[in-house]
């Protein structure tokens, strides 16, 4: 499980990361709202621990933006403020739970576990891009009345490509997220699955294509010539 911590007080951010790592999660920190939003949109994280008072973009604005993009990643908001209006504002903006600082490590972990358990209830059932719809329950990819079923790994690759704003996925992120860190995985595995997906997109006659970004990874896009 990958957890993103967005908190501008570096000591606290790093302490939260240590708590999470000690509990067996992978944790990464962002120290301001704008870079936090970019990371949150990457599709790489299973949950986000989000401070309210951040430079650049507040936690309220950040979670509001995520939900506006139909990104359903579970969000646990942290704040030093205890006013009820803040709690209401946070939940209204789309946070899933709320915790006031200071807090104890066991409470943070308990709330996170509860959020991750409930994740199945908050995830979206479909992702859309251009003329494509990916059904997250059945793993069917649809386009204008046509439909193909995606295998487990194809589905994970397509879901990453369709998540997030830029729809750019690095090969390294793809391998880590879809195949995990163990096992003998080469970049050829990613290439092979992208190639399967390209054939399926052709079969669907979709206007969307997966392009290779040299040395970077892949992007799902509609090329001007294909419009
Ligand atoms: Ca702060």
């Amino acid at each position: 499980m990958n957890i993103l911590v967005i908190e501008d007080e570096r000591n606290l951010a790093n302490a939260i990361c240590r708590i999470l790592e000690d509990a067996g999660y992978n944790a990464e920190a962002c120290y301001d709202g704008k870079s936090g939003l970019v990371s949150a949109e990457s599709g790489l994280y299973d949950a986000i621990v989000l401070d309210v008072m951040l430079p650049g973009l507040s936690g309220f604005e950040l979670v509001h933006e995520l939900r506006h993009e139909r990104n359903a990643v579970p969000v646990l908001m942290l704040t030093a403020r205890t006013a009820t209006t803040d709690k209401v504002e946070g939940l209204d903006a789309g946070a899933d739970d709320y915790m006031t600082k200071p807090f104890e490590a066991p409470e943070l972990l308990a709330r996170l576990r509860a959020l991750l358990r409930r994740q199945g209830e908050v995830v979206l059932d479909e992702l859309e891009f251009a003329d494509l719809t990916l059904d997250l329950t059945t793993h069917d990819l649809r386009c204008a009345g046509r439909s193909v079923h995606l295998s487990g790994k194809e589905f994970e690759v397509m879901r990453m490509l369709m998540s997030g704003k830029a729809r750019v996925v690095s090969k390294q992120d793809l391998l880590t997220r879809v195949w995990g860190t163990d096992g003998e995985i080469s970049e050829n595995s990613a290439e092979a699955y992208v190639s399967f997906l390209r054939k399926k997109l052709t079969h669907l006659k979709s206007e969307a294509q997966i392009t290779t970004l040299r040395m970077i990874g892949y992007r799902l896009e509609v090329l001007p010539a294909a419009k």
Side-chain angles (χ1 to χ4, degrees), residues 7-9 51-55 101:
E7 162 65 76
D8 59 312
E9 292 165 56
D51 186 35
V52 170
M53 300 295 283
L54 290 168
K101 295 189 270 191

Side-chain angles (χ1 to χ4, degrees), residues 66-88:
L66 280 180
R67 299 315 185 220
H68 179 70
E69 294 163 9
R70 293 174 52 84
N71 184 322
V73 62
V75 173
L76 173 60
M77 282 196 122
L78 292 181
T79 184
R81 299 186 293 179
T82 52
T84 314
T85 49
D86 283 350
K87 177 171 182 173
V88 170

Side-chain angles (χ1 to χ4, degrees), residues 40-137:
E41 289 169 339
S42 69
L44 286 173
Y45 299 98
D46 299 290
I48 296 173
V49 177
L50 175 64
D51 186 35
V52 170
M53 300 295 283
L54 290 168
L57 191 70
S58 80
F60 294 142
E61 291 166 327
L62 194 157
V63 74
H64 186 266
E65 180 62 24
L66 280 180
R67 299 315 185 220
H68 179 70
E69 294 163 9
R70 293 174 52 84
N71 184 322
V73 62
V75 173
L76 173 60
M77 282 196 122
L78 292 181
T79 184
R81 299 186 293 179
T82 52
T84 314
T85 49
D86 283 350
K87 177 171 182 173
V88 170
E89 191 175 348
L91 295 175
D92 274 354
D96 300 279
D97 199 4
Y98 195 97
M99 224 169 88
T100 50
K101 295 189 270 191
F103 55 85
E104 302 283 328
E107 186 188 1
L108 172 72
L109 293 171
R111 285 179 183 265
L112 204 54
R113 278 195 301 273
L115 270 193
L116 291 166
R117 268 201 307 274
R118 292 207 303 264
Q119 193 177 5
E121 297 166 26
V122 295
V123 292
L124 304 164
D125 46 6
E126 286 182 350
L127 283 177
E128 291 177 352
F129 174 70
D131 55 4
L132 292 172
T133 303
L134 180 62
D135 189 314
L136 300 181
T137 311

Side-chain angles (χ1 to χ4, degrees), residues 203-220:
H203 173 76
L204 287 171
K205 298 186 166 62
S206 171
E207 62 182 357
Q209 297 184 27
I210 302 170
T211 49
T212 302
L213 305 174
R214 250 171 65 79
M215 312 299 285
I216 300 174
Y218 303 100
R219 177 194 281 144
L220 183 65

